[in-house]
Amino acid sequence: MKKYAVIAAVALMGLASCSEGKFHVEGNITGAKDSVLYFEQVGISDISVVDSVRLDGDGDFAFSGERQEAPEFYRLRISDQIINVSIDSTETVTVKAQYPQMATQYEVSGSENCQKIKELALRQIDLQQRAIAISRNDALSVEASNDSILAIVRQYKDEVKRQYIFPAPDKAYAYFALFQALGDMLLFNPRTNRDDIKVFAAVATSWDTYYPQAERGQNLHNIAIEGMKNVRMQDASGAQTIDASKIRTTGIIDIELTDNHGKTRRLTDLEGKVVLLDFHVFATEESPARILLLRELYNKYHAQGLEIYQVSLDPDEHFWKQQTASLPWISVREEQGLASPTLAIYNVQAVPEYFLIDRNSNIVGRSQSFKDVEQSISQLCR
């Protein structure tokens, strides 16, 4: 008996191990007997069928897949009715819906990301209905109709940024929000709109940090960089003083600020160096100790290629210049302080905060991801 008990225990452990390596999407959709429910993966450039099932009267379904190392997106679809879900590990997501209104009348549990995606999807549907109502209002001229639609789109984007994207840019729902559309038009334009590029950059920077090998993160990063390049080319074309052919992109989101000597300093000019990008407030009790630490690192590794690009968020410019007069590294100041869009782009929730950038201008981590910053700098400077 003991022998069989051991065998049974081992078998159960094996089943548990297999289960731990997979994610699950399950539930039921009523009112869809004999309909085919498709479970599809929503890739960057295409949508592919992962599995499907013909529903019976109860509408029960269960799909599974291999563990995800970074957030990935899927959808449940019957005809043109779609429910979007995201998976970022081995979670179990439960969906209950009623056909044919499953796209709007469904419940989801087991995933905060999926719950937020539902909220965003419903808000997007509401936005579209309001836009249609405006366009059909005969009392409005074409110009007035367009202005009204643009106004509700701006309001929608502002709410989505404040409530979903900036508070948690590393989440799957923040990524999902970036690609919402009104008809065929993306709500966030990452190609030429300066403000929208910053939104993409904020999510891209966060994904660079937390999911450095993820294809989606790299794609976001490339989109943000390309958008910044487009804007620079537009500026160059308008000013007619800059050779657009000399505009280049690197692997980081650029920062361009004035240093304590009145010189414009760009983060991208440090390509080829190991950079510690430091966000700092000198008017804090912790500042002296942090500056001493930075001095030790700079003195030890500057000859090996380390540079410090320190962004001050102090409101008093005169005080900042006094504090930085004797510092040997690059000291710049963000005039908008804690309201700076640069903080949003780099998803800085609290200061002080630092990022490490390798010689190829790739962010390799931030303070939370390093146990020993000196050891990390030493390895990067080799």
Side-chain angles (χ1 to χ4, degrees):
M1 291 293 292
K2 290 182 179 179
K3 179 179 180 181
Y4 291 116
V6 171
I7 292 174
V10 171
L12 288 173
M13 289 175 63
L15 288 174
S17 176
C18 291
S19 177
E20 289 174 0
K22 292 181 177 293
F23 69 84
H24 303 274
V25 179
E26 58 191 33
N28 68 332
I29 299 177
T30 60
K33 183 179 179 180
D34 294 328
S35 297
V36 177
L37 174 66
Y38 293 95
F39 182 54
E40 300 173 326
Q41 183 171 10
V42 182
I44 293 176
S45 58
D46 60 6
I47 298 172
S48 58
V49 176
V50 177
D51 202 351
S52 64
V53 62
R54 187 172 294 277
L55 299 176
D56 59 19
D58 294 329
D60 294 336
F61 65 89
F63 301 114
S64 63
E66 295 301 320
R67 174 189 178 93
Q68 301 296 301
E69 299 300 330
E72 192 50 76
F73 295 86
Y74 299 86
R75 69 183 194 179
L76 299 167
R77 180 178 65 84
I78 299 177
S79 186
D80 62 347
Q81 290 289 300
I82 293 170
I83 296 174
N84 291 289
V85 298
S86 72
I87 301 293
D88 63 7
S89 183
T90 58
E91 59 202 323
T92 296
V93 177
T94 302
V95 177
K96 296 182 179 181
Q98 182 177 359
Y99 191 77
Q101 297 85 24
M102 60 180 272
T104 56
Q105 298 181 14
Y106 72 94
E107 298 178 1
V108 60
S109 59
S111 167
E112 179 194 15
N113 276 310
C114 290
Q115 182 61 48
K116 295 290 188 181
I117 286 173
K118 175 188 175 182
E119 294 175 11
L120 285 163
L122 294 179
R123 294 181 71 149
Q124 180 185 10
I125 291 172
D126 176 68
L127 174 67
Q128 184 166 331
Q129 290 174 343
R130 286 189 291 148
I132 291 173
I134 292 172
S135 67
R136 291 177 177 174
N137 187 344
D138 294 334
L140 296 176
S141 65
V142 173
E143 183 178 358
S145 177
N146 289 339
D147 288 344
S148 297
I149 291 174
L150 289 175
I152 64 172
V153 168
R154 283 195 296 269
Q155 180 184 12
Y156 180 88
K157 289 168 62 177
D158 182 63
E159 292 173 354
V160 168
K161 285 189 290 186
R162 289 187 291 103
Q163 298 175 23
Y164 295 91
I165 298 177
F166 287 151
D170 59 309
K171 298 295 186 180
Y173 59 81
Y175 181 102
F176 179 85
L178 293 179
F179 294 96
Q180 289 193 292
L182 183 62
D184 296 329
M185 178 189 73
L186 280 178
L187 295 175
F188 291 96
N189 171 14
R191 303 298 181 186
T192 57
N193 185 297
R194 294 176 185 275
D195 291 334
D196 292 353
I197 291 169
K198 292 176 182 178
V199 178
F200 266 75
V203 180
T205 301
S206 191
W207 281 53
D208 280 347
T209 301
Y210 293 103
Y211 314 109
Q213 303 303 319
E215 183 181 5
R216 288 186 182 277
Q218 294 171 2
N219 183 58
L220 276 183
H221 189 103
N222 292 338
I223 291 173
I225 292 293
E226 186 65 24
M228 289 184 171
K229 179 180 179 181
N230 291 341
V231 168
R232 288 182 191 168
M233 292 182 68
Q234 290 175 358
D235 291 345
S237 177
Q240 296 183 347
T241 58
I242 303 174
D243 184 354
S245 67
K246 296 186 181 300
I247 295 175
R248 60 187 177 86
T249 59
T250 65
I252 52 175
I253 308 302
D254 201 10
I255 300 174
E256 183 175 347
L257 294 170
T258 304
D259 69 10
N260 50 352
H261 302 293
K263 181 180 179 181
T264 299
R265 305 302 292 264
R266 293 174 54 186
L267 183 60
T268 52
D269 289 340
L270 301 178
E271 185 176 10
K273 295 182 178 293
V274 174
V275 180
L276 191 152
L277 170 60
D278 186 60
F279 292 91
H280 189 81
V281 177
F282 286 90
T284 61
E285 294 181 359
E286 299 82 4
S287 177
R290 185 176 180 84
I291 294 301
L292 284 175
L293 173 62
L294 292 179
R295 276 188 176 274
E296 291 178 7
L297 293 172
Y298 187 87
N299 292 340
K300 189 171 182 179
Y301 295 101
H302 179 63
Q304 300 177 40
L306 174 68
E307 186 55 82
I308 296 176
Y309 188 100
Q310 188 169 52
V311 181
S312 166
L313 303 167
D314 292 88
D316 189 329
E317 182 179 7
H318 179 68
F319 171 78
W320 163 67
K321 286 186 176 180
Q322 286 183 321
Q323 296 297 310
T324 60
S326 62
L327 297 182
W329 53 76
I330 298 172
S331 298
V332 298
R333 175 174 167 270
E334 177 55 80
E335 293 183 355
Q336 298 183 54
L338 296 177
S340 162
T342 304
L343 296 185
I345 289 174
Y346 277 85
N347 185 30
V348 176
Q349 302 291 330
V351 290
E353 173 66 293
Y354 72 78
F355 295 80
L356 280 183
I357 301 169
D358 67 16
R359 295 183 188 275
N360 295 318
S361 293
N362 297 309
I363 292 177
V364 295
R366 63 195 302 169
S367 60
Q368 299 96 313
S369 60
F370 291 107
K371 294 181 180 179
D372 188 331
V373 62
E374 181 174 354
Q375 181 181 1
S376 301
I377 290 174
S378 175
Q379 292 173 348
L380 291 172
C381 286
R382 291 176 180 171

mmCIF file of all heavy atoms in Angstrom, residues 118-128 130 156 159-160 163-164 180:
data_model
loop_
_atom_site.group_PDB
_atom_site.id
_atom_site.type_symbol
_atom_site.label_atom_id
_atom_site.label_comp_id
_atom_site.label_asym_id
_atom_site.label_seq_id
_atom_site.Cartn_x
_atom_site.Cartn_y
_atom_site.Cartn_z
ATOM 1 N N LYS A 118 -11.276 45.173 -19.765
ATOM 2 C CA LYS A 118 -12.724 45.245 -19.946
ATOM 3 C C LYS A 118 -13.200 46.682 -19.777
ATOM 4 O O LYS A 118 -13.992 47.185 -20.589
ATOM 5 C CB LYS A 118 -13.427 44.340 -18.941
ATOM 6 C CG LYS A 118 -14.954 44.461 -18.979
ATOM 7 C CD LYS A 118 -15.626 43.704 -17.852
ATOM 8 C CE LYS A 118 -17.135 43.956 -17.848
ATOM 9 N NZ LYS A 118 -17.813 43.267 -16.729
ATOM 10 N N GLU A 119 -12.728 47.360 -18.734
ATOM 11 C CA GLU A 119 -13.117 48.751 -18.505
ATOM 12 C C GLU A 119 -12.750 49.619 -19.708
ATOM 13 O O GLU A 119 -13.554 50.446 -20.174
ATOM 14 C CB GLU A 119 -12.437 49.290 -17.249
ATOM 15 C CG GLU A 119 -12.893 48.635 -15.954
ATOM 16 C CD GLU A 119 -12.094 49.120 -14.752
ATOM 17 O OE1 GLU A 119 -11.336 50.112 -14.910
ATOM 18 O OE2 GLU A 119 -12.204 48.515 -13.675
ATOM 19 N N LEU A 120 -11.537 49.417 -20.213
ATOM 20 C CA LEU A 120 -11.088 50.202 -21.367
ATOM 21 C C LEU A 120 -11.913 49.898 -22.607
ATOM 22 O O LEU A 120 -12.259 50.806 -23.372
ATOM 23 C CB LEU A 120 -9.608 49.921 -21.632
ATOM 24 C CG LEU A 120 -8.617 50.576 -20.669
ATOM 25 C CD1 LEU A 120 -7.250 49.915 -20.775
ATOM 26 C CD2 LEU A 120 -8.507 52.072 -20.942
ATOM 27 N N ALA A 121 -12.234 48.625 -22.812
ATOM 28 C CA ALA A 121 -13.018 48.243 -23.988
ATOM 29 C C ALA A 121 -14.413 48.860 -23.940
ATOM 30 O O ALA A 121 -14.916 49.364 -24.960
ATOM 31 C CB ALA A 121 -13.115 46.721 -24.074
ATOM 32 N N LEU A 122 -15.037 48.859 -22.771
ATOM 33 C CA LEU A 122 -16.367 49.448 -22.640
ATOM 34 C C LEU A 122 -16.317 50.966 -22.817
ATOM 35 O O LEU A 122 -17.219 51.563 -23.424
ATOM 36 C CB LEU A 122 -16.966 49.087 -21.283
ATOM 37 C CG LEU A 122 -17.281 47.597 -21.065
ATOM 38 C CD1 LEU A 122 -17.857 47.361 -19.681
ATOM 39 C CD2 LEU A 122 -18.244 47.087 -22.138
ATOM 40 N N ARG A 123 -15.271 51.592 -22.299
ATOM 41 C CA ARG A 123 -15.129 53.039 -22.464
ATOM 42 C C ARG A 123 -14.909 53.390 -23.934
ATOM 43 O O ARG A 123 -15.387 54.412 -24.422
ATOM 44 C CB ARG A 123 -13.968 53.551 -21.607
ATOM 45 C CG ARG A 123 -14.224 53.419 -20.121
ATOM 46 C CD ARG A 123 -13.091 53.951 -19.295
ATOM 47 N NE ARG A 123 -13.023 55.405 -19.372
ATOM 48 C CZ ARG A 123 -12.578 56.184 -18.390
ATOM 49 N NH1 ARG A 123 -12.167 55.639 -17.256
ATOM 50 N NH2 ARG A 123 -12.536 57.487 -18.534
ATOM 51 N N GLN A 124 -14.155 52.542 -24.638
ATOM 52 C CA GLN A 124 -13.906 52.776 -26.060
ATOM 53 C C GLN A 124 -15.213 52.653 -26.853
ATOM 54 O O GLN A 124 -15.480 53.460 -27.756
ATOM 55 C CB GLN A 124 -12.888 51.778 -26.587
ATOM 56 C CG GLN A 124 -12.569 51.940 -28.063
ATOM 57 C CD GLN A 124 -11.640 50.858 -28.574
ATOM 58 O OE1 GLN A 124 -11.365 49.881 -27.876
ATOM 59 N NE2 GLN A 124 -11.156 51.017 -29.783
ATOM 60 N N ILE A 125 -16.018 51.674 -26.527
ATOM 61 C CA ILE A 125 -17.312 51.508 -27.194
ATOM 62 C C ILE A 125 -18.197 52.728 -26.950
ATOM 63 O O ILE A 125 -18.852 53.244 -27.863
ATOM 64 C CB ILE A 125 -18.008 50.222 -26.718
ATOM 65 C CG1 ILE A 125 -17.240 48.991 -27.229
ATOM 66 C CG2 ILE A 125 -19.454 50.169 -27.207
ATOM 67 C CD1 ILE A 125 -17.721 47.677 -26.653
ATOM 68 N N ASP A 126 -18.204 53.217 -25.718
ATOM 69 C CA ASP A 126 -18.990 54.409 -25.389
ATOM 70 C C ASP A 126 -18.485 55.627 -26.170
ATOM 71 O O ASP A 126 -19.290 56.422 -26.680
ATOM 72 C CB ASP A 126 -18.898 54.683 -23.886
ATOM 73 C CG ASP A 126 -19.608 55.972 -23.486
ATOM 74 O OD1 ASP A 126 -20.845 56.019 -23.580
ATOM 75 O OD2 ASP A 126 -18.915 56.937 -23.106
ATOM 76 N N LEU A 127 -17.165 55.766 -26.271
ATOM 77 C CA LEU A 127 -16.591 56.871 -27.040
ATOM 78 C C LEU A 127 -17.043 56.799 -28.490
ATOM 79 O O LEU A 127 -17.423 57.814 -29.093
ATOM 80 C CB LEU A 127 -15.068 56.821 -26.963
ATOM 81 C CG LEU A 127 -14.318 57.838 -27.836
ATOM 82 C CD1 LEU A 127 -14.558 59.258 -27.335
ATOM 83 C CD2 LEU A 127 -12.818 57.521 -27.861
ATOM 84 N N GLN A 128 -17.009 55.612 -29.063
ATOM 85 C CA GLN A 128 -17.398 55.441 -30.458
ATOM 86 C C GLN A 128 -18.875 55.793 -30.659
ATOM 87 O O GLN A 128 -19.235 56.457 -31.644
ATOM 88 C CB GLN A 128 -17.139 54.004 -30.903
ATOM 89 C CG GLN A 128 -17.432 53.759 -32.376
ATOM 90 C CD GLN A 128 -16.848 52.444 -32.859
ATOM 91 O OE1 GLN A 128 -15.838 51.977 -32.349
ATOM 92 N NE2 GLN A 128 -17.490 51.848 -33.844
ATOM 93 N N ARG A 130 -20.673 57.873 -28.869
ATOM 94 C CA ARG A 130 -20.832 59.317 -28.748
ATOM 95 C C ARG A 130 -20.353 60.029 -30.010
ATOM 96 O O ARG A 130 -20.959 61.013 -30.455
ATOM 97 C CB ARG A 130 -20.070 59.827 -27.527
ATOM 98 C CG ARG A 130 -20.748 59.485 -26.201
ATOM 99 C CD ARG A 130 -20.094 60.198 -25.045
ATOM 100 N NE ARG A 130 -18.757 59.687 -24.784
ATOM 101 C CZ ARG A 130 -17.747 60.406 -24.320
ATOM 102 N NH1 ARG A 130 -17.899 61.708 -24.129
ATOM 103 N NH2 ARG A 130 -16.581 59.854 -24.068
ATOM 104 N N TYR A 156 -11.055 61.825 -23.533
ATOM 105 C CA TYR A 156 -10.882 60.389 -23.327
ATOM 106 C C TYR A 156 -9.411 60.037 -23.122
ATOM 107 O O TYR A 156 -9.053 59.314 -22.186
ATOM 108 C CB TYR A 156 -11.436 59.621 -24.535
ATOM 109 C CG TYR A 156 -11.310 58.116 -24.420
ATOM 110 C CD1 TYR A 156 -12.302 57.367 -23.811
ATOM 111 C CD2 TYR A 156 -10.195 57.450 -24.930
ATOM 112 C CE1 TYR A 156 -12.189 55.984 -23.710
ATOM 113 C CE2 TYR A 156 -10.078 56.081 -24.817
ATOM 114 C CZ TYR A 156 -11.082 55.346 -24.215
ATOM 115 O OH TYR A 156 -10.955 53.983 -24.109
ATOM 116 N N GLU A 159 -8.102 61.115 -19.703
ATOM 117 C CA GLU A 159 -8.562 60.234 -18.629
ATOM 118 C C GLU A 159 -7.823 58.900 -18.648
ATOM 119 O O GLU A 159 -7.436 58.384 -17.597
ATOM 120 C CB GLU A 159 -10.072 60.005 -18.760
ATOM 121 C CG GLU A 159 -10.907 61.255 -18.486
ATOM 122 C CD GLU A 159 -12.374 61.046 -18.784
ATOM 123 O OE1 GLU A 159 -12.721 59.967 -19.321
ATOM 124 O OE2 GLU A 159 -13.180 61.954 -18.486
ATOM 125 N N VAL A 160 -7.623 58.348 -19.834
ATOM 126 C CA VAL A 160 -6.931 57.061 -19.950
ATOM 127 C C VAL A 160 -5.479 57.186 -19.496
ATOM 128 O O VAL A 160 -4.946 56.305 -18.816
ATOM 129 C CB VAL A 160 -7.018 56.536 -21.401
ATOM 130 C CG1 VAL A 160 -6.059 55.370 -21.615
ATOM 131 C CG2 VAL A 160 -8.446 56.100 -21.717
ATOM 132 N N GLN A 163 -5.593 57.619 -15.565
ATOM 133 C CA GLN A 163 -6.189 56.541 -14.776
ATOM 134 C C GLN A 163 -5.610 55.159 -15.082
ATOM 135 O O GLN A 163 -5.678 54.268 -14.231
ATOM 136 C CB GLN A 163 -7.702 56.515 -14.996
ATOM 137 C CG GLN A 163 -8.409 57.787 -14.557
ATOM 138 C CD GLN A 163 -9.888 57.787 -14.887
ATOM 139 O OE1 GLN A 163 -10.506 56.740 -15.049
ATOM 140 N NE2 GLN A 163 -10.470 58.978 -15.014
ATOM 141 N N TYR A 164 -5.057 54.973 -16.273
ATOM 142 C CA TYR A 164 -4.621 53.630 -16.661
ATOM 143 C C TYR A 164 -3.140 53.542 -17.043
ATOM 144 O O TYR A 164 -2.474 52.587 -16.673
ATOM 145 C CB TYR A 164 -5.466 53.118 -17.841
ATOM 146 C CG TYR A 164 -6.919 52.911 -17.505
ATOM 147 C CD1 TYR A 164 -7.841 53.937 -17.677
ATOM 148 C CD2 TYR A 164 -7.372 51.692 -16.994
ATOM 149 C CE1 TYR A 164 -9.181 53.762 -17.361
ATOM 150 C CE2 TYR A 164 -8.711 51.501 -16.678
ATOM 151 C CZ TYR A 164 -9.611 52.534 -16.863
ATOM 152 O OH TYR A 164 -10.929 52.353 -16.535
ATOM 153 N N GLN A 180 -5.788 51.525 -28.672
ATOM 154 C CA GLN A 180 -7.219 51.683 -28.895
ATOM 155 C C GLN A 180 -7.448 52.623 -30.080
ATOM 156 O O GLN A 180 -6.639 53.515 -30.353
ATOM 157 C CB GLN A 180 -7.894 52.243 -27.644
ATOM 158 C CG GLN A 180 -7.960 51.227 -26.498
ATOM 159 C CD GLN A 180 -8.893 51.681 -25.408
ATOM 160 O OE1 GLN A 180 -8.620 52.658 -24.721
ATOM 161 N NE2 GLN A 180 -10.006 50.986 -25.246
#
